[in-house]
Amino acid sequence: MTHVTFTFESAADVTISVQPSESILESARKANVAIDAPCNGNGSCKKCKVELNGAEVLACLTSVGAEPITVRVPDIAAAFKSRMKTADLSDERELSLFRETQANLTEFGRDERVGLGLAIDIGTTSVAAAMVDLASGEVVAKASAGNAQIRYGADVIHRIVEAEKPGGLATLNRAIVQDTLVPLIAAMTDEPQRIVRAVVAGNTTMNHIFANVPPDSIRLEPYVPVCYDFEPMRADALGLPIAPDAEVLIAPNAGSYVGGDISAGTLASLLWRREGDYALFCDFGTNGELVFGNSEFMFTCACSAGPALEGGEMSCGMRATDGAIEACAIDRETLEPTLTVIGGGKPVGICGSGIIDSIAEMLRSGILDSRGKIAADGYRVKTSDIDGVKRYVLAFDWESATGREIAISEIDADNFMRAKGAIFSAIRTMLNAVDFTVDSISEVLVAGGIGSAINFENAVYVGMLPDIDRAKFRYIGNTSLAGAYAMLLSDAAAAKVTELKDGMTYLELSSEPGYMDEFVAACFFPHTDSNLFPSVT
């Protein structure tokens, strides 16, 4: 056995004994040390950088060896766990949207209950919760954190693959319950036994893992989850540190990749109330889920776009935490960027909203062409000596917090092009299924973590969202949490969520004729069909 000591910038050292053949990442997981690994340790994302003997190495590709070692974990490698910017109730904007939603759902009333309740939104990347006085409906505490499952991969496919390994499901369940929800509840109350009811809303994979149900079938044809609906469960059976006999509801799943977060979110979006016009409800997080319709019908589908939008497939990408570039503007003449950084100070990397802004500004400035190739020259345009790939430098090494440059390369632009193409082609495919066009959309209702920071003008400019009147776009907050809150207070609201789920027609895009053609056509800035983006081209 070999002793591995993990050191940190702002925490006590952790030491563990492991087999010499194990990787540093495997050792970290056993020691409950958080190291971000969006690719689940296959070496492709290069986000698990740590310091060993003064050199930077990838934790997933570096074996511990026979001699004792000391590994320094940079603060940013674990920042996702506690400092991630989430669509929770921590700022006045989110709280105002949350209250507005609840005011629109008064028809469901409030059941006569006493004690405390817990509404939880379990996202693939982050978790948000609200503790509620069941008698009054008042939110008495709220908290959020990164989902500790992140260390096992950025998206649901990586999580499912991990769950398929021996002991994998138990590991992932422990990560969400013990490593995420238990401390989250402790942060909200010293008396968790007073919590007598809870509602959880997550995507289909997160719901399965939380309930300790194997999610394997979700990624295998015919893509059918084990559970669409969950019976109410006891808190002690789920490992939640609240009243042992507290009733725990899980919002129902609509399909393999459209889960309870969308069922609950659809309730909060009020899409089901609309008459005479049609709205598009979009939840942009690690996955992109869409619902289109009104009181008469609803179609829903999901697309995989989140890893790129959350930094997982970008050379300098990171999640929305301290040090992330969240907005960017580029001077048309000098090509100099002006950056907005979460938390202030020098940048560490770039998150989803910053990626959208940067690509849009590079297109407007002529730095990037419609194929995603860098077409300009200048002080900030560099070419790799190894493979000839060009990049635009947002921050040189002396301008960043890490001493490494932050840039958008042609490879990054291509990865982003596929991510935004997945979203737009999903919208087009769903509209085509009901013989509608983008002109039929009266309003686009945007929710989710990435949605909270999106510049809609830039999202249209790059071809991610349809080119319609910008006044039709509206951010509506964390609808998953808002829907879970409504279910918590009212059995009628919970029944309505199930009714809405049952009324949705779920489209499995991978099996939908024409989807791949739409996707290929959307892999261009803004699109191969310029007529779809008249205000851009």
Side-chain angles (χ1 to χ4, degrees):
M1 301 293 282
T2 301
H3 291 295
V4 180
T5 300
F6 294 95
T7 65
F8 310 88
E9 296 176 19
S10 54
D13 294 354
V14 175
T15 300
I16 188 174
S17 295
V18 298
Q19 296 292 337
S21 60
E22 293 187 21
S23 70
I24 292 175
L25 182 60
E26 291 171 329
S27 304
R29 288 173 173 174
K30 288 185 176 180
N32 201 29
V33 169
I35 297 178
D36 200 6
C39 69
N40 197 23
N42 64 28
S44 62
C45 74
K46 297 179 173 56
K47 304 299 181 186
C48 62
K49 294 175 182 176
V50 295
E51 291 182 17
L52 177 64
N53 299 325
E56 190 176 79
V57 300
L58 293 181
C60 67
L61 299 182
T62 306
S63 298
V64 168
E67 299 297 324
I69 62 172
T70 298
V71 178
R72 181 179 177 274
V73 181
D75 195 33
I76 191 61
F80 70 89
K81 192 173 180 183
S82 60
R83 299 203 310 275
M84 189 180 300
K85 187 176 181 182
T86 61
D88 56 15
L89 304 182
S90 59
D91 64 61
E92 191 53 43
R93 178 196 185 198
E94 291 290 339
L95 195 56
S96 176
L97 290 168
F98 181 84
R99 288 169 176 160
E100 180 182 334
T101 298
Q102 302 316 317
N104 289 326
L105 295 174
T106 54
E107 67 189 78
F108 296 110
R110 186 168 60 244
D111 299 338
E112 292 187 8
R113 291 188 176 96
V114 294
L116 298 175
L118 195 61
I120 306 171
D121 164 36
I122 299 181
T124 311
T125 301
S126 61
V127 177
M131 191 169 68
V132 180
D133 183 322
L134 293 175
S136 66
E138 178 187 0
V139 175
V140 296
K142 64 257 188 188
S144 62
N147 185 333
Q149 292 178 1
I150 289 175
R151 68 190 75 166
Y152 301 103
D155 56 40
V156 296
I157 297 299
H158 280 110
R159 308 284 173 85
I160 295 172
V161 170
E162 183 67 26
E164 292 171 346
K165 298 177 181 177
L169 178 58
T171 297
L172 290 172
N173 177 266
R174 185 165 55 251
I176 185 57
V177 177
Q178 298 300 322
D179 299 343
T180 307
L181 296 181
V182 169
L184 205 63
I185 293 169
M188 290 189 287
T189 179
D190 295 328
E191 301 178 286
Q193 299 300 313
R194 293 180 58 204
I195 300 174
V196 297
R197 181 176 167 88
V199 175
V200 170
N203 64 51
T204 307
T205 301
M206 294 301 102
N207 279 349
H208 277 63
I209 293 172
F210 172 72
N212 223 12
V213 176
D216 313 22
S217 63
I218 292 172
R219 76 180 187 100
L220 302 173
E221 285 192 278
Y223 311 109
V224 177
V226 174
C227 298
Y228 287 95
D229 301 278
F230 296 83
E231 292 295 325
M233 300 181 182
R234 284 175 55 106
D236 54 1
L238 293 165
L240 293 178
I242 60 179
D245 60 348
E247 183 180 60
V248 181
L249 304 181
I250 300 177
N253 303 314
S256 53
Y257 296 106
V258 173
D261 53 347
I262 304 305
S263 300
T266 300
L267 175 78
S269 75
L270 304 179
L271 187 70
W272 51 278
R273 268 197 200 158
R274 303 183 77 100
E275 296 183 1
D277 64 359
Y278 308 94
L280 176 67
F281 169 46
C282 309
D283 190 310
F284 294 134
T286 308
N287 303 300
E289 294 101 348
L290 310 168
V291 184
F292 175 75
N294 60 9
S295 61
E296 297 178 356
F297 72 90
M298 285 185 285
F299 274 69
T300 184
C301 67
C303 56
S304 179
L309 294 182
E310 293 194 330
E313 296 174 354
M314 309 295 287
S315 60
C316 298
M318 63 183 290
R319 296 187 176 88
T321 187
D322 291 354
I325 297 169
E326 64 174 342
C328 172
I330 297 175
D331 187 276
R332 303 293 183 270
E333 295 183 3
T334 65
L335 304 187
E336 283 294 304
T338 300
L339 310 176
T340 302
V341 179
I342 297 175
K346 292 185 175 182
V348 173
I350 184 167
C351 66
S353 60
I355 293 168
I356 294 171
D357 281 9
S358 297
I359 295 291
E361 285 291 276
M362 289 171 69
L363 288 165
R364 290 191 183 99
S365 304
I367 298 171
L368 202 65
D369 66 20
S370 296
R371 301 168 301 154
K373 301 299 182 182
I374 291 179
D377 295 315
Y379 172 60
R380 289 187 175 270
V381 175
K382 305 296 180 183
T383 303
S384 170
D385 295 330
I386 299 174
D387 54 17
V389 173
K390 291 184 178 181
R391 66 191 186 276
Y392 171 73
V393 181
L394 293 168
F396 288 105
D397 51 6
W398 65 85
E399 296 174 314
S400 77
T402 62
R404 297 187 297 270
E405 75 171 26
I406 301 169
I408 300 289
S409 71
E410 291 174 327
I411 295 174
D412 292 330
D414 185 66
N415 286 336
F416 173 79
M417 184 186 292
R418 285 185 277 113
K420 73 88 184 174
I423 293 173
F424 187 76
S425 58
I427 294 172
R428 286 263 298 172
T429 300
M430 189 164 60
L431 291 173
N432 289 340
V434 288
D435 200 24
F436 280 71
T437 67
V438 295
D439 295 328
S440 308
I441 302 173
S442 297
E443 195 169 23
V444 179
L445 309 170
V446 179
I450 296 175
S452 65
I454 282 181
N455 179 311
F456 293 125
E457 182 64 42
N458 286 341
V460 171
Y461 198 88
V462 300
M464 175 175 153
L465 294 176
D467 190 359
I468 58 177
D469 184 356
R470 308 305 187 263
K472 293 183 177 181
F473 293 93
R474 179 162 62 95
Y475 175 64
I476 57 175
N478 186 333
T479 52
S480 175
L481 185 62
Y485 169 91
M487 293 174 65
L488 183 69
L489 294 180
S490 168
D491 289 339
K496 184 65 177 181
V497 169
T498 298
E499 178 190 321
L500 293 174
K501 180 270 299 183
D502 290 339
M504 292 181 190
T505 299
Y506 175 68
L507 298 180
E508 179 56 60
L509 291 180
S510 60
S511 305
E512 194 68 22
Y515 172 67
M516 283 308 300
D517 290 339
E518 287 287 351
F519 173 70
V520 172
C523 288
F524 200 74
F525 290 124
H527 197 277
T528 54
D529 184 355
S530 60
N531 293 322
L532 295 175
F533 290 87
S535 75
V536 175
T537 56

